[in-house]
Amino acid sequence: TVDESELLTVPDGWKEPAFTREDNPKGLLEESSFATLFPKYREAYLKECWPLVQKALGEHYVNAALDLIEGSMTVTTTKKTFDPYAIIRARDLIKLLARSVPFEQAVRILQDDVACDIIKIGSLVRKRETFIKRRARLLGPKGSTLKALELLTNCYIMVQGNTVSALGPFSGLKEVRKVVLDTMKNIHPIYNIKTLMIKRELAKDPELRTQSWERFLPKFKRKNLKKRKEPKKKNTKKEYTPFPPPQPESQIDKELASGEYFLKERQKKRKQMEEIKAKQADAIKRRQEERNKAFIPPKEKPVVKTKKASTEKKIDIEAIKEKVKNAKKKKLGALPEEEVKLKMAADEKKKKKKK
């Protein structure tokens, strides 16, 4: 008797044997082909790395063609192709290359234990601005959120335009798809990352394999913190008063107040004409001033003449004369007269002391 829990689990280190020519010695009967389009900005990169693509697919006996005029990549099987799934992997390879995945990562799809998933996120959000914000949330500050997700799922993730390309094991791809779709549904990826970290720790314990993990996983409650939209025009209620508002003055009341009511018809017309003429005169005066503005010359700045530095300096003749007299009195290198007299007196005193 064998325990059922052991039958459900895959033994550690188990790997499916590789598919060889001995498994399918006669090859394929029909030729299969797949083609995909690529954007204009990928043309230069694909042109550069296409020999490497052909070499990688050549090992599996699959032909690859690059059409730069139509902007398409085509893969086809040959008579030597023995692996029927090789063409599916080749199709995924050209799809990943079209979605800006570098060749070094995309070529891993040709391995048996690696799969890919291209998640379309463009139609999940209506507003373009909201879509860009949520896509940036998936990347995180300086790509930290995306890097954490890659480490937890062992997948390579590439966010480009309206799609997210993921490359790695099947279990990791399932988690990546869930996180990406939840992020587009306005669930922050940090919640899913926390859950993945807990699951990773729980998987290390062999006793918890057959048990439910619901009690260990965190439950995040969704909070609606939407602010109520306020109207642009706010109707402010006035203070209630029992008295009605005062009745507006009629035209007759205004004429009575100004005294026009008692004027004759001819006088009223004359007053109206005077008012009209006064308005016309003001308008003509304003127009004339605007026309004359073009003929008024602008104020010129006064030219400031730079004062030349006076080279001629006043010479003090008296001071020069005194210097000359003093120079004549003493010889060059000789001591002044007072110092000579003092020195002679000191010498005489020394002689007397000696005697």
Side-chain angles (χ1 to χ4, degrees), residues 15 109 273 284 292 323 340:
K15 196 175 181 182
I109 196 66
M273 289 298 292
I284 290 161
N292 292 336
K323 283 180 182 179
V340 171

Side-chain angles (χ1 to χ4, degrees), residues 3 28 79 97 112 124 185 194 238 256-257 282-283 354:
D3 191 9
L28 305 175
K79 290 179 181 179
L97 288 169
D112 288 339
L124 297 175
K185 289 175 186 174
K194 280 184 179 179
K238 294 176 182 178
L256 284 167
D282 288 339
K354 284 178 182 179

Side-chain angles (χ1 to χ4, degrees), residues 116-156:
C116 75
D117 189 10
I118 296 169
I119 308 155
K120 292 178 181 178
I121 57 171
S123 58
L124 297 175
V125 185
R126 284 184 181 180
K127 288 183 181 179
R128 184 69 182 168
E129 291 174 1
T130 312
F131 168 73
I132 291 163
K133 282 180 184 177
R134 289 182 188 176
R135 187 179 63 182
R137 194 183 292 167
L138 185 64
L139 292 166
K142 297 180 181 178
S144 58
T145 308
L146 196 70
K147 190 70 182 172
L149 198 61
E150 284 181 350
L151 291 167
L152 289 167
T153 57
N154 296 322
C155 293
Y156 173 81

Side-chain angles (χ1 to χ4, degrees), residues 223-257:
K223 294 178 182 178
N224 291 326
L225 299 172
K226 288 182 180 178
K227 290 181 181 178
R228 185 178 170 275
K229 289 183 179 179
E230 294 180 355
K232 288 182 180 178
K233 292 180 180 178
K234 291 181 180 180
N235 296 325
T236 53
K237 287 185 178 180
K238 294 176 182 178
E239 290 181 7
Y240 174 74
T241 51
F243 306 105
Q247 196 173 0
E249 289 185 346
S250 64
Q251 190 67 27
I252 295 165
D253 292 337
K254 288 176 184 177
E255 286 179 1
L256 284 167

Side-chain angles (χ1 to χ4, degrees), residues 17 32 75 94 131 133 152 161 177 183 290 299 301 321 346:
S32 302
V75 287
I94 59 173
F131 168 73
K133 282 180 184 177
L152 289 167
R177 179 171 273 275
T183 306
E290 285 178 6
K299 290 182 179 179
K301 291 179 181 179
K321 283 180 180 179

